[in-house]
C-alpha cells in the first residue's frame, strides 16, 4: 500500500531561488493530505503534476506566512477548477478568520463546502479517522501556537493462507475469527492464527514537526514513528539564534529522532543564510545515521 | 532617463506552469514601483534579480487573489530582510484589513512604517507625486471595484544651448527665464526659447489596466499614453464569456488602444484555457499594429 511524502517546499521564511516555503503532500493509500501550504504551493502542485482535486484535507501547522500564505490561492483555484466535493482544513482558529476575510473581499462564493476544524491542544489528539488510517495532532514549541501532525496506518488484520482454508475447509465465520486472533476447531484440529495466517503487515506512521525549538516533551508524541520530518533551520554554529527564534539545529533534530527511536529522519526548513544543504546532513549524521535531506520534488517512502 | 516595465507575472486566475499571476515592476528614473502582487511575486523578484529594498510603493488594482495574494509574504520578507524605510501601499480599503489581520495572527511587528492609502474613486485622480513624476489612478469595470494606474513623467524644462549662453553672455536669471519660455534681451538682441534651447524632451506615460471588461469610458483616462498595458484574458471566440466575467478579448484591448491613440500596447492576463499566446497577438494586430505580448521576465521600454 502506498504511503509516501512528496516535498513541495522545504525552505524557511525568507524566499530563495533554491527552496519554496513549507508544503508537503502525504499520500496514504492513495488519499492525498496536504501539510502546510506556503506561498506558491499551487504552482508546486502543478510542477509536480499532483491533481488538485485529489486533496480533500489540508493541515496547517501555524500562522507564520511561510506555512499558510498559499492556502487562500489554492482554495480559490479549487473553486475555479470546479471542485464540488468537501474540503477539510485543520489549523489554528484564526486561520479561518483569514480565509473568510479573503473570500469576503474577493466576493468569492465557493461552489464546494469548506469545513474548518480549529486546532488547539496541549496534548496529542486524534483529529481524523477513516477505514485504514488516522491523523493525530500534537503541540510543538514555537514563537506562536504551532502543531505537528502524525499520519498512522491502522493495524491490518492478518491474511489467512488459501492453502489452509482449502485443507481444513474453513468457513467464512472461522476465517473472520482467525483474522481476529481467535483459534477455531476444524476437522478435529485446533487451528491457531499463527498457523493459518501470513505474518501481519507492520503499520507505518509519519510524523511532521514543522517549526519548533529543541523540545524533549515532543518525544512521546512521535515515538517509534516509521518516518519523522523535523525542522532543521540552523546549524549548531547558530545554536543561540535557533533558541532565540524557537527553531532547531540539524543536530537537535537528529537528537529528537534518536530519543524518539524513529526509523528514519527527514530534515528541512533550511535558513536562507546557508549555501550548502549538505552541511545539515553531515551535522545530523553525527547523532543519527538514517537521515535524509528534504528537497523540492523528492518523494520519500514511509 | 530610465522608464521601463518588467513583467513578473501575466497569467490569469488559475495557476499554470507557463505564467505567474499578475505583477509588474515599473522603473521610473530608477525608482521602482510594484503594480499588483499575485502569489509568488517575491520569488519572481528574486528570479529577476530585482532588489526588494528598492520597492517603496506598491499599487494593487483589486482584491482578486491573483492580484494581491503575494503581498503579505512580500511585506513580511521585507521585514525579515531588515527594511527600515517606509513602505506605501495603495489599493481598495479592505486590503488593509487583510494585511493587518495577517500581521496580527502571525504576531509580526514590522520594523518599518507601512502607510496604507485607500483607493476609491469614480474618476481619474493623482495619488503620488515627486520631483520628476506623478502617479494617477482611475476606475476600471470589473466584477469588484478595480483600479488602473498611470505613471507620468513631469514635463521637463528645455535645456539652454551652451554655445548660445557663451555667445550672448547669458546670466543665470536669463537662463531660467528662457527655460520657462520667456524671451530675454542680450547684447541688444531678443533671444527666444526656440532659438536658445534644445527641443523639449517628450514626457512619457505608462498606463496599467488590469482586469476590466471592454469599457470605452476608460479611453479619456489613458489617452495618448506612450505605453498601455491592457488585459486580454480571452480571444474573440470567447467574447460572451469575457463579458460575463468582466474581462476583455485581445481585439477589445486593441480597440481601446486604438481609440485612446496610445503609441504602443502590451497585452497579458491570458486565460489558462489557451495553449498559444501568439493567438492573442494575431487577434490584437487586426485592430492595432504596435502591440506586444507580455511574458515573465520581459522588460518593455516605455
Amino acid at each position: 500500500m502506498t504511503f509516501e511524502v512528496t516535498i513541495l517546499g522545504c525552505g524557511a521564511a525568507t524566499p530563495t531561488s533554491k527552496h519554496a516555503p513549507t508544503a508537503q503532500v502525504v499520500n496514504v493509500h492513495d488519499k492525498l493530505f496536504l501539510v502546510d501550504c506556503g506561498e506558491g504551493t499551487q504552482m508546486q502542485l502543478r510542477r509536480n503534476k499532483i491533481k488538485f482535486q485529489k486533496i480533500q484535507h489540508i493541515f496547517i501547522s501555524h500562522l507564520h506566512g511561510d506555512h499558510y500564505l498559499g492556502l487562500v490561492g489554492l482554495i480559490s483555484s479549487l473553486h475555479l477548477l470546479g471542485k464540488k466535493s468537501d474540503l477539510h482544513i485543520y489549523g489554528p482558529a484564526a486561520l479561518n478568520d483569514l480565509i473568510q476575510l479573503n473570500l469576503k473581499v474577493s466576493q468569492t462564493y465557493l461552489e464546494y463546502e469548506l469545513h474548518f476544524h480549529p486546532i488547539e491542544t496541549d496534548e496529542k489528539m486524534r483529529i481524523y479517522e477513516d477505514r485504514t488510517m488516522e491523523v493525530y495532532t500534537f503541540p510543538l514549541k514555537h514563537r506562536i501556537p504551532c502543531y505537528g501532525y502524525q499520519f498512522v496506518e491502522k493495524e491490518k488484520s492478518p491474511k489467512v493462507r488459501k492453502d489452509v482454508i482449502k485443507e481444513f475447509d474453513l468457513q467464512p465465520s472461522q476465517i473472520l475469527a482467525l483474522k481476529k486472533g481467535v483459534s477455531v476447531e476444524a476437522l478435529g484440529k485446533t487451528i491457531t492464527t499463527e498457523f493459518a495466517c501470513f505474518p501481519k503487515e507492520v503499520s507505518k506512521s509519519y510524523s511532521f514537526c514543522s517549526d519548533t525549538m529543541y523540545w524533549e516533551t515532543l518525544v512521546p508524541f512521535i515515538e517509534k514513528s516509521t518516518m519523522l520530518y523535523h525542522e532543521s533551520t540552523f546549524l549548531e554554529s547558530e545554536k543561540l539564534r535557533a533558541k532565540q527564534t524557537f527553531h532547531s539545529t540539524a543536530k537537535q533534530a537528529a537528537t529528537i529522532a534518536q530519543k524518539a527511536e524513529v526509523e528514519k529522519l527527514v530534515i528541512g526548513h533550511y535558513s536562507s543564510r546557508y549555501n550548502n544543504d549538505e552541511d545539515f546532513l553531515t551535522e545530523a549524521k553525527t547523532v543519527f545515521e538514517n537521515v535524509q535531506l528534504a528537497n523540492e520534488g523528492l518523494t520519500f517512502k514511509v
Side-chain angles (χ1 to χ4, degrees), chain A:
Chain A
M1 298 282 256
T2 314
F3 193 176
E4 59 188 29
V5 177
T6 299
I7 307 296
L8 300 179
C10 59
T14 55
T16 70
S17 46
K18 244 177 21 176
H19 292 299
T22 304
Q24 306 185 352
V25 174
V26 182
N27 179 332
V28 193
H29 308 168
D30 290 321
K31 278 208 181 80
L32 300 193
F33 300 87
L34 181 64
V35 189
D36 276 351
C37 188
E39 185 176 347
T41 295
Q42 51 178 338
M43 289 73 137
Q44 288 293 81
L45 285 168
R46 273 271 184 273
R47 254 174 229 133
N48 288 278
K49 301 192 195 312
I50 294 167
K51 292 214 172 80
F52 285 40
Q53 304 288 0
K54 288 189 86 173
I55 296 168
Q56 313 285 358
H57 299 272
I58 302 176
F59 301 88
I60 302 294
S61 65
H62 68 300
L63 299 186
H64 279 154
D66 55 324
H67 294 259
Y68 79 84
L69 282 176
L71 184 60
V72 172
L74 180 58
I75 288 172
S76 169
S77 292
L78 285 170
H79 164 73
L80 291 171
L81 294 169
K83 181 179 179 62
K84 299 281 179 250
S85 61
D86 294 4
L87 180 69
H88 294 265
I89 299 178
Y90 305 75
L95 180 58
N96 198 30
D97 301 340
L98 281 172
I99 295 169
Q100 296 309 326
L101 184 57
N102 276 281
L103 294 178
K104 186 181 149 204
V105 303
S106 60
Q107 295 181 27
T108 303
Y109 308 99
L110 296 180
E111 294 264 339
Y112 59 87
E113 287 282 334
L114 191 158
H115 302 274
F116 189 83
H117 306 267
I119 301 288
E120 189 183 350
T121 181
D122 288 332
E123 44 196 51
K124 188 169 175 176
M125 58 183 280
R126 190 173 66 189
I127 51 171
Y128 172 83
E129 184 187 14
D130 64 25
R131 208 171 44 82
T132 65
M133 50 101 48
E134 296 167 318
V135 184
Y136 293 83
T137 189
F138 49 85
L140 299 170
K141 189 85 175 167
H142 198 43
R143 192 164 64 74
I144 61 173
C146 186
Y147 301 96
Y149 294 101
Q150 187 178 48
F151 300 80
V152 185
E153 284 180 326
K154 281 188 180 171
E155 255 199 23
K156 298 162 200 160
S157 12
K159 281 184 186 150
V160 183
R161 285 159 48 193
K162 282 197 177 149
D163 58 324
V164 178
I165 295 174
K166 203 169 172 187
E167 190 182 339
F168 293 92
D169 192 24
L170 295 177
Q171 300 307 301
S173 63
Q174 291 175 309
I175 293 170
L176 204 65
L178 284 166
K179 277 173 169 281
K180 287 182 177 165
V182 180
S183 302
V184 298
E185 299 293 321
L187 306 185
K189 277 200 173 174
T190 300
I191 316 287
T192 65
T193 295
E194 288 68 37
F195 169 77
C197 293
F198 291 104
K200 261 195 204 177
E201 274 183 54
V202 178
S203 294
K204 292 175 178 167
S205 62
Y206 171 59
S207 300
F208 169 83
C209 297
S210 103
D211 299 21
T212 183
M213 67 188 301
Y214 179 77
W215 196 45
E216 292 184 2
T217 309
L218 185 58
V219 170
F221 300 148
I222 59 171
E223 216 158 22
K224 301 205 191 300
S225 295
T226 318
M227 188 162 98
L228 166 67
Y229 171 91
H230 192 291
E231 75 122 293
S232 153
T233 309
F234 294 103
L235 294 173
E236 278 290 296
S237 46
E238 279 74 38
K239 195 176 168 177
L240 184 65
R241 177 108 188 107
K243 197 175 173 184
Q244 285 165 343
T245 58
F246 291 81
H247 283 297
S248 300
T249 67
K251 190 177 171 189
Q252 289 171 337
T255 306
I256 293 293
Q258 186 198 44
K259 286 188 188 288
E261 297 177 52
V262 306
E263 279 184 32
K264 49 191 167 188
L265 170 67
V266 176
I267 52 176
H269 203 264
Y270 319 116
S271 163
S272 63
R273 74 186 58 207
Y274 304 108
N275 293 320
N276 188 1
D277 297 347
E278 292 293 322
D279 293 343
F280 290 93
L281 191 68
T282 310
E283 184 175 296
K285 283 209 174 191
T286 62
V287 173
F288 187 85
E289 181 54 34
N290 198 2
V291 54
Q292 286 179 278
L293 291 177
N295 210 354
E296 282 73 11
L298 284 188
T299 294
F300 296 94
K301 287 209 182 305
V302 176

Coordinates of all heavy atoms in Angstrom, one line a residue, chain A residues 19-66:
Chain A
H19 N 14.8 27.2 -2.7 CA 13.7 26.5 -2.0 C 12.4 27.2 -1.9 O 12.4 28.5 -1.9 CB 14.2 26.1 -0.6 CG 15.3 25.1 -0.5 ND1 15.2 23.9 -0.9 CD2 16.6 25.2 0.0 CE1 16.3 23.2 -0.7 NE2 17.2 24.0 -0.2
A20 N 11.3 26.5 -2.0 CA 10.0 27.1 -1.8 C 9.6 27.0 -0.3 O 10.2 26.1 0.4 CB 9.0 26.4 -2.6
P21 N 8.7 27.8 0.2 CA 8.3 27.6 1.6 C 7.5 26.3 1.9 O 7.1 25.6 0.9 CB 7.4 28.9 1.8 CG 6.9 29.3 0.5 CD 8.0 28.9 -0.5
T22 N 7.4 26.0 3.1 CA 6.9 24.6 3.5 C 5.6 24.2 2.9 O 4.6 24.9 3.0 CB 6.8 24.5 5.0 OG1 8.1 24.9 5.6 CG2 6.5 23.1 5.5
A23 N 5.6 23.0 2.4 CA 4.4 22.3 1.9 C 4.8 20.9 1.6 O 5.9 20.7 1.0 CB 3.8 23.0 0.7
Q24 N 4.0 19.9 2.0 CA 4.2 18.5 1.7 C 2.9 17.8 1.3 O 1.9 18.2 1.9 CB 4.8 17.8 2.9 CG 6.0 18.4 3.5 CD 6.6 17.5 4.6 OE1 6.0 16.6 5.0 NE2 7.8 18.0 5.1
V25 N 3.0 16.9 0.4 CA 1.8 16.0 0.2 C 2.0 14.6 0.7 O 3.0 14.0 0.4 CB 1.5 15.9 -1.3 CG1 0.3 14.9 -1.6 CG2 1.1 17.3 -1.9
V26 N 1.2 14.2 1.7 CA 1.3 12.9 2.3 C 0.3 12.0 1.6 O -0.9 12.3 1.6 CB 1.0 12.9 3.8 CG1 1.2 11.6 4.4 CG2 2.0 14.0 4.5
N27 N 0.8 11.0 0.9 CA -0.1 10.0 0.2 C -0.2 8.8 1.1 O 0.7 8.0 1.3 CB 0.5 9.7 -1.1 CG -0.3 8.7 -1.9 OD1 -1.0 7.9 -1.4 ND2 -0.3 8.8 -3.3
V28 N -1.4 8.5 1.6 CA -1.7 7.3 2.4 C -2.7 6.5 1.7 O -3.9 6.9 1.6 CB -2.1 7.6 3.9 CG1 -2.1 6.4 4.7 CG2 -1.3 8.8 4.5
H29 N -2.3 5.4 1.1 CA -3.2 4.5 0.4 C -4.0 5.3 -0.7 O -5.2 5.2 -0.8 CB -4.2 3.8 1.4 CG -3.5 3.2 2.5 ND1 -4.1 2.7 3.6 CD2 -2.2 2.9 2.7 CE1 -3.3 2.1 4.4 NE2 -2.1 2.3 3.9
D30 N -3.3 6.2 -1.4 CA -3.8 7.0 -2.5 C -4.8 8.1 -2.0 O -5.5 8.6 -2.9 CB -4.4 6.1 -3.6 CG -3.3 5.4 -4.3 OD1 -2.2 6.0 -4.5 OD2 -3.4 4.2 -4.6
K31 N -4.9 8.3 -0.8 CA -5.6 9.5 -0.3 C -4.5 10.6 -0.1 O -3.5 10.3 0.5 CB -6.3 9.3 1.1 CG -7.6 8.6 1.0 CD -8.5 9.1 2.2 CE -9.8 8.4 2.1 NZ -9.8 7.0 2.7
L32 N -4.7 11.8 -0.6 CA -3.7 12.8 -0.5 C -4.1 13.8 0.6 O -5.2 14.4 0.6 CB -3.6 13.6 -1.9 CG -3.2 12.8 -3.1 CD1 -2.8 13.7 -4.2 CD2 -2.0 11.8 -2.8
F33 N -3.1 14.1 1.4 CA -3.2 15.1 2.5 C -2.1 16.1 2.3 O -1.0 15.8 2.2 CB -3.0 14.4 3.9 CG -4.0 13.3 4.1 CD1 -3.8 12.0 3.7 CD2 -5.2 13.5 4.8 CE1 -4.7 10.9 3.9 CE2 -6.1 12.5 5.0 CZ -5.9 11.2 4.6
L34 N -2.6 17.4 2.3 CA -1.6 18.5 2.2 C -1.2 19.0 3.6 O -2.1 19.2 4.4 CB -2.2 19.6 1.3 CG -1.3 20.8 1.1 CD1 -0.1 20.4 0.2 CD2 -2.1 21.9 0.4
V35 N 0.1 19.0 3.8 CA 0.5 19.5 5.1 C 1.3 20.8 4.9 O 2.3 20.8 4.3 CB 1.4 18.5 5.8 CG1 1.7 18.9 7.2 CG2 0.8 17.1 5.8
D36 N 0.8 21.9 5.5 CA 1.3 23.2 5.3 C 1.1 23.6 3.9 O 1.0 22.8 3.0 CB 2.7 23.4 5.8 CG 2.7 23.7 7.4 OD1 1.6 23.9 7.9 OD2 3.8 23.7 7.9
C37 N 1.1 25.0 3.7 CA 0.7 25.4 2.3 C 1.3 26.8 2.2 O 0.6 27.8 2.1 CB -0.8 25.5 2.2 SG -1.3 25.8 0.5
G38 N 2.7 26.9 2.1 CA 3.4 28.2 1.9 C 3.0 28.8 0.6 O 2.5 28.2 -0.3
E39 N 3.4 30.1 0.4 CA 3.2 30.8 -0.8 C 3.7 30.0 -2.0 O 4.9 29.6 -2.0 CB 3.8 32.2 -0.7 CG 3.5 33.1 -1.9 CD 4.1 34.5 -1.8 OE1 4.5 34.8 -0.7 OE2 4.1 35.2 -2.8
G40 N 2.9 29.9 -3.0 CA 3.4 29.2 -4.3 C 3.1 27.7 -4.3 O 3.5 27.0 -5.2
T41 N 2.4 27.2 -3.2 CA 2.1 25.7 -3.2 C 1.3 25.3 -4.4 O 1.6 24.2 -5.0 CB 1.4 25.4 -1.9 OG1 2.3 25.6 -0.8 CG2 1.0 23.9 -1.9
Q42 N 0.4 26.1 -4.9 CA -0.4 25.6 -6.0 C 0.5 25.5 -7.3 O 0.3 24.6 -8.1 CB -1.7 26.4 -6.3 CG -1.4 27.9 -6.3 CD -2.8 28.7 -6.6 OE1 -3.7 28.1 -7.2 NE2 -2.8 29.9 -6.3
M43 N 1.5 26.4 -7.4 CA 2.4 26.2 -8.6 C 3.2 25.0 -8.4 O 3.5 24.3 -9.3 CB 3.3 27.5 -8.7 CG 2.6 28.7 -9.2 SD 1.5 29.5 -7.9 CE 1.8 31.2 -8.0
Q44 N 3.6 24.7 -7.1 CA 4.4 23.5 -6.9 C 3.6 22.2 -7.1 O 4.1 21.2 -7.6 CB 4.9 23.5 -5.4 CG 6.0 24.5 -5.1 CD 7.3 24.2 -5.9 OE1 7.5 24.4 -7.1 NE2 8.2 23.5 -5.2
L45 N 2.3 22.2 -6.8 CA 1.5 21.1 -7.1 C 1.4 20.9 -8.6 O 1.6 19.8 -9.1 CB 0.0 21.4 -6.6 CG -0.2 21.2 -5.1 CD1 -1.5 21.8 -4.7 CD2 0.0 19.8 -4.6
R46 N 1.3 22.0 -9.4 CA 1.3 21.9 -10.9 C 2.6 21.3 -11.4 O 2.6 20.4 -12.2 CB 1.1 23.3 -11.5 CG -0.3 23.7 -11.7 CD -0.8 23.3 -13.0 NE -2.2 23.8 -13.2 CZ -3.3 23.3 -12.8 NH1 -3.3 22.1 -12.2 NH2 -4.5 23.8 -13.0
R47 N 3.7 21.8 -10.9 CA 5.0 21.4 -11.3 C 5.2 19.9 -11.0 O 5.8 19.2 -11.8 CB 6.1 22.2 -10.5 CG 6.8 23.2 -11.4 CD 7.8 24.0 -10.6 NE 7.5 25.4 -11.0 CZ 7.4 26.4 -10.1 NH1 7.5 26.2 -8.8 NH2 7.1 27.6 -10.5
N48 N 4.7 19.4 -9.9 CA 4.9 18.0 -9.5 C 3.7 17.1 -10.1 O 3.6 16.0 -9.7 CB 5.0 17.9 -8.0 CG 6.4 18.4 -7.6 OD1 7.3 17.7 -7.6 ND2 6.4 19.7 -7.1
K49 N 2.9 17.7 -10.9 CA 1.8 17.0 -11.6 C 0.9 16.3 -10.5 O 0.5 15.1 -10.7 CB 2.3 16.0 -12.6 CG 3.1 16.7 -13.7 CD 3.4 15.8 -14.9 CE 4.5 16.4 -15.8 NZ 4.3 17.8 -16.2
I50 N 0.6 17.0 -9.4 CA -0.3 16.4 -8.4 C -1.7 17.0 -8.6 O -1.8 18.2 -8.7 CB 0.2 16.7 -7.0 CG1 1.5 15.9 -6.8 CG2 -0.8 16.3 -5.9 CD1 2.3 16.4 -5.6
K51 N -2.7 16.1 -8.7 CA -4.0 16.6 -9.1 C -4.6 17.4 -7.9 O -4.8 16.8 -6.8 CB -4.9 15.4 -9.5 CG -4.5 14.8 -10.8 CD -5.7 14.3 -11.6 CE -5.3 13.9 -13.0 NZ -4.7 12.5 -13.0
F52 N -4.9 18.6 -8.1 CA -5.5 19.5 -7.0 C -6.8 18.8 -6.4 O -7.0 18.8 -5.2 CB -6.0 20.8 -7.6 CG -4.9 21.8 -8.0 CD1 -3.7 21.4 -8.5 CD2 -5.1 23.1 -7.7 CE1 -2.7 22.3 -8.8 CE2 -4.1 24.1 -8.0 CZ -2.9 23.6 -8.6
Q53 N -7.6 18.2 -7.3 CA -8.9 17.7 -6.8 C -8.8 16.6 -5.9 O -9.8 16.2 -5.2 CB -9.8 17.4 -8.1 CG -10.0 18.5 -9.1 CD -10.9 19.6 -8.5 OE1 -11.4 19.5 -7.4 NE2 -11.1 20.7 -9.3
K54 N -7.6 15.9 -5.9 CA -7.5 14.7 -5.0 C -7.2 15.1 -3.6 O -7.3 14.3 -2.7 CB -6.3 13.8 -5.5 CG -6.7 13.1 -6.8 CD -5.6 12.1 -7.2 CE -5.9 10.7 -6.5 NZ -5.0 9.7 -6.9
I55 N -7.0 16.4 -3.3 CA -6.7 16.9 -2.0 C -8.0 17.3 -1.3 O -8.7 18.2 -1.7 CB -5.8 18.1 -2.0 CG1 -4.4 17.7 -2.6 CG2 -5.6 18.7 -0.6 CD1 -3.5 18.8 -2.9
Q56 N -8.4 16.5 -0.3 CA -9.6 16.8 0.5 C -9.4 17.3 1.9 O -10.3 17.7 2.6 CB -10.5 15.5 0.6 CG -10.6 14.7 -0.8 CD -11.6 15.4 -1.7 OE1 -12.2 16.4 -1.4 NE2 -11.7 14.8 -2.9
H57 N -8.1 17.1 2.3 CA -7.7 17.5 3.7 C -6.4 18.3 3.7 O -5.5 17.8 3.1 CB -7.6 16.2 4.6 CG -8.9 15.4 4.7 ND1 -9.8 15.7 5.6 CD2 -9.3 14.4 3.9 CE1 -10.8 14.8 5.4 NE2 -10.5 14.1 4.4
I58 N -6.5 19.4 4.4 CA -5.3 20.3 4.5 C -5.0 20.5 6.0 O -5.9 20.9 6.7 CB -5.4 21.6 3.7 CG1 -5.8 21.3 2.2 CG2 -4.2 22.4 3.8 CD1 -6.1 22.5 1.4
F59 N -3.7 20.3 6.4 CA -3.3 20.5 7.8 C -2.3 21.7 7.8 O -1.3 21.6 7.2 CB -2.7 19.3 8.3 CG -3.7 18.1 8.3 CD1 -3.8 17.3 7.1 CD2 -4.5 17.8 9.3 CE1 -4.6 16.2 7.1 CE2 -5.4 16.7 9.3 CZ -5.5 15.9 8.1
I60 N -2.6 22.7 8.6 CA -1.7 23.8 8.7 C -1.1 23.9 10.1 O -1.8 23.8 11.1 CB -2.4 25.2 8.4 CG1 -3.0 25.1 7.0 CG2 -1.5 26.4 8.6 CD1 -2.1 25.1 5.8
S61 N 0.2 23.9 10.2 CA 0.9 23.8 11.5 C 0.8 25.1 12.3 O 0.6 25.0 13.5 CB 2.4 23.5 11.3 OG 3.1 24.5 10.6
H62 N 1.0 26.2 11.7 CA 0.9 27.5 12.4 C 0.8 28.7 11.4 O 1.0 28.5 10.2 CB 2.1 27.6 13.3 CG 3.4 27.8 12.6 ND1 4.0 26.9 11.8 CD2 4.4 28.8 12.7 CE1 5.1 27.3 11.3 NE2 5.4 28.5 11.9
L63 N 0.6 29.9 12.0 CA 0.2 31.0 11.2 C 1.4 31.9 10.9 O 1.3 33.2 11.0 CB -1.0 31.7 11.8 CG -2.2 30.8 11.9 CD1 -3.4 31.6 12.3 CD2 -2.5 30.2 10.5
H64 N 2.6 31.4 10.7 CA 3.6 32.2 10.0 C 3.5 32.0 8.5 O 3.2 30.9 8.0 CB 5.0 31.7 10.5 CG 5.4 32.3 11.9 ND1 6.3 31.6 12.7 CD2 5.0 33.4 12.5 CE1 6.4 32.4 13.8 NE2 5.6 33.4 13.7
G65 N 3.7 33.2 7.8 CA 3.4 33.2 6.4 C 3.9 32.1 5.6 O 3.3 31.6 4.7
D66 N 5.2 31.7 5.9 CA 5.8 30.6 5.0 C 5.1 29.3 5.2 O 5.6 28.3 4.6 CB 7.3 30.6 5.3 CG 7.7 30.4 6.7 OD1 7.0 30.9 7.6 OD2 8.7 29.7 7.0

